[in-house]
Amino acid sequence: MSDLRDLYQEVILDHSKKPRNYRRMEDSCSRAEGFNPLCGDQLVLFVKVASGIIQDISFEGSGCAISKASASMMTGAVKGKTLEEADRVFEHFHKMVTGQPGDPFDAEILGKLAVFSGVCEFPARVKCASLAWHTLKAALKGEGQQVTTE
Ligand code: FES
C-alpha cells in the first residue's frame, strides 16, 4: 500500500503541474461545468462524441491539485472509450473513492486511476477526486448546467 501512496503523490504532482487535455474546445458537442461550493473550485469539461465513442475530451478551470490531477487522468482514461465503457469506469472509480479503506477494486478496469484508492480515507478529498467525474456524467447526459459536489 505504501507503494501506491508514493505513486499517488508522484502522479498527483505530475498531473496537477502538467494537466493533460487542458484546453478549451470550441467544437465540442457537449460541455458541463463542475463546481465545489465548499472551496470554490470549478472546471468546465468539453466532450466530443461520435458513433457512441468519446473522440475528444478536454477541460479548463481552477482547482486544487487533486481535482486537477483527477480531471487530467479522467480525460486520459475515457478518451477513445465508448459511452458504456466510460460509464463503467465512472461506476468503478466512484465506488472505489466512496468505499472503505482496503475494499477491493477492479485494477484492470481502473488502471492508473487506482492511485486514488487511498482517497476514501479523507472525505473532503473524495469531492476533489470525483468533481471531474460528476461533470463528465452531466456532460454525457447533455446536462449543460452546473453540477456541484454538494
Ligand atoms: Fe476544491 Fe479540492 S479543494 S476541489
Side-chain angles (χ1 to χ4, degrees):
M1 183 55 113
S2 74
D3 282 356
L4 206 54
R5 272 179 212 266
D6 290 349
L7 191 62
Y8 171 76
Q9 305 282 0
E10 212 176 286
V11 168
I12 297 292
L13 210 63
D14 176 37
H15 280 265
S16 63
K17 280 189 169 168
K18 291 179 290 179
R20 321 306 194 254
N21 302 303
Y22 188 86
R23 63 190 148 83
R24 192 173 185 79
M25 197 192 300
E26 299 300 343
D27 60 344
S28 64
C29 48
S30 183
R31 58 173 275 171
E33 191 182 333
F35 180 59
N36 183 347
L38 295 180
C39 58
D41 290 349
Q42 57 186 1
L43 63 90
V44 183
L45 192 68
F46 307 91
V47 190
K48 200 187 292 177
V49 179
S51 308
I53 293 172
I54 299 174
Q55 308 283 350
D56 199 7
I57 178 164
S58 67
F59 75 103
E60 63 177 12
S62 60
C64 66
I66 297 176
S67 70
K68 207 173 223 180
S70 180
S72 171
M73 291 182 73
M74 180 277 286
T75 58
V78 303
K79 198 169 180 174
K81 289 212 163 32
T82 65
L83 297 177
E84 291 73 25
E85 287 167 343
D87 201 47
R88 198 152 64 114
V89 182
F90 169 89
E91 296 300 338
H92 280 262
F93 183 84
H94 192 251
K95 198 169 151 212
M96 177 179 74
V97 297
T98 56
Q100 295 298 317
D103 276 359
F105 55 83
D106 193 322
E108 203 173 314
I109 289 180
L110 290 168
K112 290 179 194 159
L113 298 170
V115 296
F116 287 96
S117 61
V119 162
C120 62
E121 290 178 53
F122 308 97
R125 292 321 209 170
V126 171
K127 293 179 178 176
C128 306
S130 51
L131 177 63
W133 288 89
H134 287 297
T135 314
L136 171 68
K137 195 98 172 161
L140 294 181
K141 275 195 202 154
E143 297 168 352
Q145 78 273 28
Q146 189 181 73
V147 289
T148 79
T149 52
E150 297 309 299

